């Protein structure tokens, strides 16, 4: 009897009590082991069945059984105190698990590995949240503090209110950053970017203030601030890039046609910016800028359009981020007495422009380049009055309304050169990926002794590093003819010294190399302490 009882007891498995949601998990198609592990998490109170959406459950079903169990183990060990969307957080853990597997790392890191990563000081964070009334939302990719502040009334902060903070020590969290930045003004939100692979921050964050003044104060006080011995922060105004450059579109298409066409394949498109050909105002210059409602929408559009699978009116398009224009501060712009005038016709001469603008005050000089010009006034008040009166007017009677705005002072040359080199590298990489669309290889640097410093040919035949205007180097020849002529042309200037094709109102440019001119002809810059002084350098 005893033996019989012993055999009977040996065959019995201990019965585990399950929640009422266990059967729901089985009905969803989860393996019994995975469902059991998830049910164990339910019992801890860290997660409820209502917290999970279909996306997370479908992702778990696609995982190998052991992998899904390991993912749930990591999820259970994680600190979920400030996680508001636990379903999205679980999806993030699954994504990180896949990435680690591809990288050859251990599928489930032991507890000793996670202990090496410094955790945030929860007591300090709790004290900050209690003091300010802000919330903290944690995902696998970022830790977001605030947004908006408690009892906030009014619209969200606009451009110029956000700063980028780089070179943050990897083991630092918001409990040390918030007290530092709130000295400069009221914080709207602070987003610390996290690396789910290591559990540490990525070394940078974005801090949005409620006012532009607070953001500028943060730049003044905290740029190069030594936050730890030998560790200095890099802080500057952050401008979200909402615009894409799209090249190789048919020149016959207008703004409305382009808007309609790209709305078919992308979401969130709000504006199309095109530039008319100086020779024919009814045609565009073979490229456009697409502006989206958010950086996320622009990023998704770039990813979709940049695959090479989408053709626009049968054309293979080139897509890249538009080069952001660094906006001068108000104190700098308050001293400007030079106007930028665009959308000029060939019939509009410098003499005619001077006659039209001089009725508002003494004009020192007018310099016209292609279809845009700079008008230098002796007094700022005269420049402002002329801008207000003539913007949108037809000054020569040709049916073309001009656009008038204050010209922007030259931006930092080194930053511009670095930006242009990076853009050129991206464009060349894209063209190589497309299967060798470029007719001939273009060297990134010319031989020693060449270039604009020695008045030599430099990087690209007759073009030097200071010239990146139309025609582009693969246009075929200096006259702009050839298989690529006109596709990337850009004559206008977005800022003094830019040589690009952007409007003064902030639109980015694609042709920034060279100052005020095209690749052919004199090299024009605005230089020296006296506003309006021209320096001409003949091209070889």
């Amino acid at each position: 009897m005893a033996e019989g009882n012993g055999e009977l007891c040996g065959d019995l498995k201990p019965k585990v009590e399950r929640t009422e949601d266990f059967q729901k998990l089985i009905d969803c198609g989860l393996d019994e082991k995975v469902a059991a592990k998830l049910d164990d998490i339910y019992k801890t109170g860290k997660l409820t069945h209502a917290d999970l959406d279909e996306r997370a459950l479908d992702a778990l079903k696609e995982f190998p059984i052991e992998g899904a169990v390991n993912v749930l183990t990591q999820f259970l060990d994680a600190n979920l105190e400030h996680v508001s969307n636990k379903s999205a957080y679980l999806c993030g853990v699954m994504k990180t698990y896949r990435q680690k597997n591809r990288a050859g790392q251990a599928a489930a890191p032991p507890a000793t590995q996670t202990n090496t990563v410094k955790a945030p000081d929860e007591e300090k964070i709790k004290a900050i949240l209690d003091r300010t009334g802000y919330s903290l939302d944690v995902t696998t990719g970022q830790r977001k503090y605030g947004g908006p502040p408690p009892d906030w009334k009014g619209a969200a902060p606009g451009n110029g209110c956000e700063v980028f903070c780089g070179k943050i020590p990897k083991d630092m969290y918001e409990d040390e950053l918030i007290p530092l930045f709130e000295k400069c003004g009221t914080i709207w939100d602070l987003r610390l970017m996290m690396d789910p692979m290591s559990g540490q921050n990525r070394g940078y964050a974005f801090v949005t203030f409620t006012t532009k003044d607070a953001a500028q104060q943060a730049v003044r006080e905290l740029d190069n601030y030594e936050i730890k011995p030998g560790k200095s922060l890099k802080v500057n105004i952050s401008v979200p890039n909402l615009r894409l450059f799209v090249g190789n579109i048919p020149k016959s298409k207008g703004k409305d046609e382009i808007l309609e066409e790209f709305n078919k394949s992308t979401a969130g498109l709000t504006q199309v910016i095109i530039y008319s050909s100086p020779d024919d105002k009814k045609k565009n210059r073979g490229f456009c800028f697409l502006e989206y409602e958010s950086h996320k929408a622009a990023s998704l559009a770039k990813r979709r359009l940049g695959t090479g699978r989408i053709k626009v009116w049968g054309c293979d398009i080139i897509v890249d981020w538009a080069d952001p224009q660094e906006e001068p501060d108000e104190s700098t712009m308050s001293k400007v007495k030079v106007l930028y005038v665009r959308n000029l016709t060939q019939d509009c001469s410098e003499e005619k422009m001077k006659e039209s603008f001089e009725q508002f005050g003494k004009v020192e000089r007018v310099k016209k380049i292609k279809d845009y010009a700079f008008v230098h006034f002796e007094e700022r008040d005269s420049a402002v009055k002329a801008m207000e009166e003539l913007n949108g007017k037809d000054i020569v009677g040709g049916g073309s309304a001009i656009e008038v705005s204050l010209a922007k002072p030259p931006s930092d040359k080194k930053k511009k050169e670095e930006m242009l080199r990076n853009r050129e590298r991206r464009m060349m990489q894209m063209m190589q990926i497309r299967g060798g669309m470029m007719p001939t290889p273009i060297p990134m640097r010319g031989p020693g002794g060449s270039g604009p410093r020695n008045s030599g040919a430099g990087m690209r035949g007759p073009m030097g590093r200071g010239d990146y205007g139309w025609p582009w180097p693969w246009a075929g020849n200096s006259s702009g003819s050839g298989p690529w002529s006109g596709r990337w042309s850009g004559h206008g200037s977005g800022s003094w010294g830019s040589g690009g094709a952007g409007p003064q109102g902030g639109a980015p440019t694609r042709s920034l190399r060279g100052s005020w001119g095209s690749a052919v002809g004199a090299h024009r810059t605005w230089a020296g302490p006296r506003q309006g002084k021209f320096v001409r350098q003949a091209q070889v």
Side-chain angles (χ1 to χ4, degrees):
M1 192 74 176
E3 288 183 5
N5 287 339
E7 290 177 4
L8 183 62
C9 291
D11 291 336
L12 285 176
K13 294 181 181 178
K15 187 176 180 181
V16 179
E17 197 173 324
R18 293 296 174 197
T19 68
E20 59 183 10
D21 293 320
F22 177 74
Q23 189 58 43
K24 295 179 183 177
L25 297 173
I26 298 295
D27 294 341
C28 287
L30 288 179
D31 180 85
E32 188 173 344
K33 285 186 179 180
V34 179
K37 185 65 179 178
L38 198 50
D39 195 58
D40 290 340
I41 297 176
Y42 288 169
K43 291 178 184 178
T44 65
K46 272 193 163 187
L47 184 71
T48 67
H49 189 69
D51 290 332
L52 293 181
D53 55 23
E54 291 184 7
R55 177 175 166 235
L57 292 172
D58 289 342
L60 277 174
K61 285 190 287 185
E62 294 173 2
F63 253 79
I65 295 173
E66 292 302 320
V69 173
N70 287 335
V71 164
L72 292 174
T73 301
Q74 293 180 37
F75 180 81
L76 181 60
D77 293 339
N79 183 357
L80 305 178
E81 183 177 356
H82 302 293
V83 177
S84 60
N85 191 337
K86 295 180 180 178
S87 185
Y89 191 89
L90 177 58
C91 289
V93 175
M94 285 187 269
K95 180 180 178 182
T96 304
Y97 181 90
R98 288 195 191 96
Q99 291 173 339
K100 287 185 175 181
N101 273 352
R102 289 174 190 152
Q105 297 182 16
T112 55
Q113 182 177 340
T114 57
N115 289 339
T116 60
V117 178
K118 178 187 172 184
D121 191 324
E122 290 296 339
E123 289 187 5
K124 287 184 178 179
I125 290 177
K126 185 177 185 302
I128 291 173
L129 298 180
D130 290 342
R131 172 173 59 84
T132 62
Y134 283 51
S135 61
L136 179 64
D137 186 18
V138 177
T139 67
T140 54
Q142 73 173 10
R143 297 172 64 91
K144 181 182 178 183
Y145 164 80
D151 303 322
W152 175 265
K153 294 181 181 179
N159 289 341
C161 295
E162 182 183 76
V163 299
F164 168 83
C165 179
K167 297 185 178 181
I168 300 173
K170 297 292 183 70
D171 58 352
M172 185 171 286
Y173 293 90
E174 59 277 344
D175 57 297
E176 297 180 75
L177 295 173
I178 291 169
L180 189 65
F181 280 93
E182 65 183 0
K183 293 177 183 177
C184 303
T186 304
I187 295 175
W188 169 274
D189 70 18
L190 183 150
R191 291 170 288 126
L192 180 63
M193 301 298 120
M194 302 299 295
D195 181 3
M197 298 284 283
S198 66
Q200 296 181 312
N201 74 62
R202 291 183 180 271
Y204 65 94
F206 295 94
V207 185
T208 305
F209 291 92
T210 54
T211 64
K212 289 184 180 180
D213 290 341
Q216 291 169 359
Q217 183 71 13
V219 174
R220 287 192 293 268
E221 291 189 12
L222 301 179
D223 188 31
N224 293 321
Y225 176 84
E226 190 173 30
I227 196 165
K228 284 186 176 181
K231 303 287 185 181
S232 297
L233 299 176
K234 176 62 181 174
V235 181
N236 56 266
I237 298 293
S238 171
V239 181
N241 203 343
L242 311 179
R243 288 176 179 170
L244 299 178
F245 163 82
V246 180
N248 199 28
I249 61 172
K251 293 186 176 182
S252 60
K253 302 301 179 182
K255 184 182 296 187
D256 293 338
E257 293 173 290
I258 296 172
L259 181 66
E260 181 182 355
E261 183 68 19
F262 282 98
N263 264 328
K264 296 176 183 177
S265 51
T266 63
L269 180 59
T270 59
Q271 185 183 9
V272 171
I273 301 168
I274 62 173
Y275 299 98
S276 302
S277 170
D279 302 324
D280 188 349
K281 292 298 179 182
K282 295 181 180 179
K283 291 184 178 181
N284 68 66
R285 296 184 181 178
F287 67 89
C288 68
F289 295 96
L290 306 180
E291 182 162 319
Y292 289 83
E293 61 187 11
S294 66
H295 177 76
K296 183 178 180 180
S299 182
L300 291 173
K302 180 179 180 293
R303 188 181 308 171
R304 179 170 173 77
L305 297 174
T307 60
R309 293 192 293 267
I310 295 180
K311 292 181 181 287
V312 179
W313 294 292
C315 300
D316 289 313
I317 56 174
I318 294 292
V319 182
D320 196 9
W321 287 110
D323 293 324
Q325 292 288 316
E326 188 173 331
E327 295 294 327
D329 56 42
E330 292 182 7
S331 62
T332 301
M333 291 301 294
S334 66
K335 301 173 185 177
V336 173
K337 48 186 179 181
V338 180
L339 296 181
Y340 168 78
V341 186
R342 66 178 294 265
N343 206 28
L344 300 173
T345 61
Q346 290 181 333
D347 299 332
C348 186
S349 64
E350 292 180 354
E351 291 74 18
K352 176 63 177 176
M353 288 189 66
K354 186 173 183 180
E355 180 184 337
S356 299
F357 280 85
E358 209 158 32
Q359 57 182 308
F360 303 98
K362 186 176 179 180
V363 175
E364 293 180 342
R365 67 177 64 84
V366 175
K367 189 61 193 176
K368 183 187 177 189
I369 307 100
K370 297 293 183 180
D371 62 343
Y372 66 96
F374 292 94
V375 181
H376 297 253
F377 278 87
E378 191 174 77
E379 300 293 337
R380 173 180 167 80
D381 291 343
S382 302
V384 172
K385 187 176 181 181
M387 177 181 67
E388 293 172 349
E389 294 293 330
L390 296 181
N391 185 39
K393 301 291 179 61
D394 179 7
I395 62 174
V396 293
S400 178
I402 62 173
E403 296 180 19
V404 186
S405 59
L406 289 172
K408 298 176 184 177
S411 58
D412 184 82
K413 187 175 181 180
K414 288 185 178 179
K415 289 182 180 179
K416 189 191 304 178
E417 287 291 337
E418 182 181 359
M419 178 182 68
L420 294 170
R421 284 194 295 270
N422 290 336
R423 186 187 62 196
E424 182 181 54
R425 192 177 299 113
R426 293 198 307 269
M427 294 295 292
M428 291 183 70
Q429 288 172 349
M430 282 192 289
M431 299 187 75
Q432 288 170 357
I433 292 171
R434 294 288 180 87
M437 289 173 64
M438 199 167 339
T440 56
I442 299 176
M444 291 299 291
R445 295 276 180 187
S450 64
R453 291 182 181 178
N454 296 315
S455 300
M459 293 169 58
R460 310 171 192 86
M463 297 174 63
R465 284 181 60 195
D467 305 288
Y468 204 65
W470 180 85
W472 280 35
W474 47 84
N477 54 49
S478 61
S479 64
S481 62
W484 291 85
S485 63
R487 292 188 178 184
W488 315 103
S489 59
H491 300 75
S493 175
S495 61
W496 292 359
S498 72
Q504 281 291 318
T509 70
R510 287 303 302 176
S511 294
L512 294 177
R513 299 221 172 190
S515 305
W516 289 12
S518 67
V520 183
H523 177 66
R524 303 174 176 89
T525 61
W526 177 80
R530 289 181 299 160
Q531 192 174 39
K533 180 181 177 182
F534 280 88
V535 177
R536 291 177 178 264
Q537 177 185 351
Q539 296 267 328
V540 178

